[in-house]
Amino acid sequence: MKPSIYVTRKIPDTALQLLKEHFLVEMWEEEETPVPREVLIEKIQTVDGLYCLLTEQVDQGLLELAPNLKVISNMAVGYNNIDIKAASNKGIMVTNTPGVLTESTADLTFALLMATARRIPEASEFLRQGQWKSWAPMMLTGQDIFGATIGIVGMGRIGEAVAKRARGFNMEILYYNRSRKMEKEAELGISYVELNELLQRSDFVVILTPYTNETKNLISKEELLLMKDTAILINVARGGIVNEAELYEALVQKKIWAAGLDVFEQEPLPMDHPLLTLPNVVTLPHIGSASIKTRIKMAELAAQNLIHALTKDTPQNLVNKDLL
Ligand code: NAP
Ligand code: GLV
C-alpha cells in the first residue's frame, strides 16, 4: 500500500499530481485559510508524511501525536515554524525549499528597499487622494539608493543575491554574518564588518538571517540607536528578528528614517498594529518569494523532497542532517 500524506493547503496542481503518483494524498482544500489546528491534530495521527507551509506550527505536542510520521516537508526555506529538535528526537526528517526562491526574494527585497527609500506607496496614495496640487521642490522627497551604503545582515543565498543587485546600483556593500565569507568578498565586492559598525555606517540595513534563538530580537533598541537618523531598515527574513515595539519607537522618535517590512512577529499583521499608523513604514504581506514561477517551483520541490524522503535513501534538502 502507498504511504499516506497530509497536505495542509491547496497547492499548485503540478505539485499535487507529483504527490498523487506516490502517495495516498489528503489535502486541506482551501487556498487562503490555514488548516485548523484540530484538523491537523486529527490528520497527523495516521499519516507517514506531512506537507506543510510556514503557517503551521509543528511543535513537540503535535509530533507526540504522530506515531507513523517519517517526514515533514516545509514549502519554505525558513523552518522556524517546526521544532527541529523534537523532530530529530523522534527520527522524523524535516526538509525545506532552498535556492529556488533566492532570486525572487532578492528582487522583492530590492523592490521594498526602493519603495521605502523613494516613498512609492505614500506617493501613489497622495495622488489618488487628490493631494497633488503642483510639482513642488521638496514634495515627497526620499533617500538616494545609487551610491549609498548597504549593510546586509546574513550573507547567505538571498544575502548574496541582494549584494549582486546592490553592485548594479554602485553601492558600498557591508555585511555581517555568523561566519565570515572570505571567498565571496572579492567576487561580490563585499566587506565584512561587525554588526555595530554595519549599523553605524549603513544607509540601508537589510536583514536576511533565519529566525533562531540567536537572531531573536537581534535588532532592538540598542541596535536601532546605532543607525543613522537617515537610515532605512528592511526586513524580509522573519518578524521576531526585529523588535517591533522598539522599531515603532525608533521611527516615531525619528531615530531612523523609515522601515520596509515584509514579515512580522504576528502574521497576518493585526489591522490595529501601531506600525500601520506610520507613513514612513512600507508593509507587505510576506510576499518575498511570491512570483508565479517561484511559488510553483517551491511547491514542486517540497513535493520532490517528500517523495525522496519516503521512497529513497537520501532525501534532498534535509534540514536535520543529524539523522543521516
Ligand atoms: P541561508 O542561505 O541559510 O542564509 C542565512 C544566512 O544567515 C547564512 O549566511 C547564515 O550564516 C546567517 N546567519 C545565521 N545565523 C546568524 C546569526 N546568528 N548571526 C548572523 N548571521 C547568521 O538562507 P536564505 O536562503 O538566504 O534565507 C534566509 C532567510 O530568509 C530564511 O531563513 C527565511 O527566514 C527568510 N526568507 C523570507 C522570505 C519571505 O518571503 N519574506 C523568503 C525566503 C526566505 P552561516 O553562513 O554561518 O550559516
Ligand atoms: C518564506 O518566508 C520562506 O522562508 O520561504
Side-chain angles (χ1 to χ4, degrees), residues 5-13 15-17 19-20 24-31 33 35 39 43 47 50-51 53:
I5 65 157
Y6 190 66
V7 182
T8 63
R9 194 77 65 93
K10 188 172 188 304
I11 55 170
D13 257 352
L16 185 59
Q17 290 319 317
L19 293 170
K20 283 184 172 169
L24 297 171
V25 182
E26 256 202 279
M27 182 170 80
W28 178 249
E29 298 283 347
E30 293 192 25
E31 207 166 325
T33 39
V35 59
V39 175
K43 301 296 177 189
V47 292
L50 179 70
Y51 182 118
L53 311 188

Side-chain angles (χ1 to χ4, degrees), residues 5-262:
I5 65 157
Y6 190 66
V7 182
T8 63
R9 194 77 65 93
K10 188 172 188 304
I11 55 170
D13 257 352
T14 48
L16 185 59
Q17 290 319 317
L18 271 176
L19 293 170
K20 283 184 172 169
E21 283 169 24
H22 295 85
F23 308 122
L24 297 171
V25 182
E26 256 202 279
M27 182 170 80
W28 178 249
E29 298 283 347
E30 293 192 25
E31 207 166 325
E32 302 294 335
T33 39
V35 59
R37 182 77 177 175
E38 60 274 19
V39 175
L40 190 53
I41 285 175
E42 182 207 323
K43 301 296 177 189
I44 202 86
Q45 302 190 24
T46 53
V47 292
D48 301 291
L50 179 70
Y51 182 118
C52 65
L53 311 188
L54 53 79
T55 45
E56 276 74 63
Q57 286 307 316
V58 184
D59 50 30
Q60 186 171 5
L62 192 73
L63 294 177
E64 292 302 336
L65 303 171
N68 303 331
L69 194 66
K70 294 164 196 70
V71 54
I72 302 159
S73 173
N74 209 31
M75 192 192 132
V77 66
Y79 45 81
N80 51 291
N81 56 311
I82 301 171
D83 186 335
I84 302 296
K85 198 162 164 230
S88 287
N89 285 344
K90 296 202 73 203
I92 299 168
M93 294 175 270
V94 177
T95 62
N96 66 342
T97 60
V100 291
L101 45 60
T102 297
E103 300 301 341
S104 302
T105 309
D107 283 349
L108 188 280
T109 306
F110 228 84
L112 181 56
L113 181 154
M114 294 184 78
T116 312
R118 296 299 303 272
R119 303 169 62 180
I120 289 174
E122 190 187 347
S124 173
E125 206 46 35
F126 178 87
L127 182 154
R128 284 166 179 269
Q129 300 289 332
Q131 294 175 49
W132 186 21
K133 305 297 178 212
S134 164
W135 189 95
M138 296 307 284
M139 183 182 92
L140 288 164
T141 46
Q143 303 290 346
D144 279 321
I145 299 148
F146 191 86
T149 299
I150 185 171
I152 301 175
V153 180
M155 188 52 74
R157 287 172 291 253
I158 303 169
E160 285 183 24
V162 169
K164 286 180 190 156
R165 285 154 179 75
R167 280 190 87 167
F169 281 76
N170 200 27
M171 295 175 101
E172 181 183 12
I173 309 169
L174 308 177
Y175 81 100
Y176 168 72
N177 197 63
R178 179 170 55 186
S179 48
R180 188 168 170 178
K181 302 253 168 113
M182 298 275 224
E183 73 290 356
K184 294 280 177 186
E185 290 179 9
E187 179 196 328
L188 295 171
I190 57 178
S191 308
Y192 180 83
V193 290
E194 288 303 325
L195 181 59
N196 285 359
E197 184 178 344
L198 180 147
L199 295 165
Q200 285 163 336
R201 288 176 54 191
S202 299
D203 299 306
F204 297 92
V205 174
V206 179
I207 310 300
L208 281 166
T209 66
Y211 181 60
T212 63
N213 288 337
E214 289 75 45
T215 62
K216 183 176 179 185
N217 287 333
L218 183 69
I219 306 297
S220 296
K221 184 176 176 181
E222 202 179 315
E223 289 71 32
L224 292 162
L225 289 178
L226 290 175
M227 289 172 64
K228 300 179 187 179
D229 57 10
T230 50
I232 293 174
L233 179 74
I234 302 295
N235 187 8
V236 180
R238 283 290 182 273
I241 302 170
V242 175
N243 183 317
E244 269 169 21
E246 293 176 3
L247 172 64
Y248 172 81
E249 283 306 318
L251 287 161
V252 168
Q253 292 171 17
K254 307 215 179 307
K255 301 290 183 196
I256 69 169
W257 197 77
L261 307 170
D262 184 44

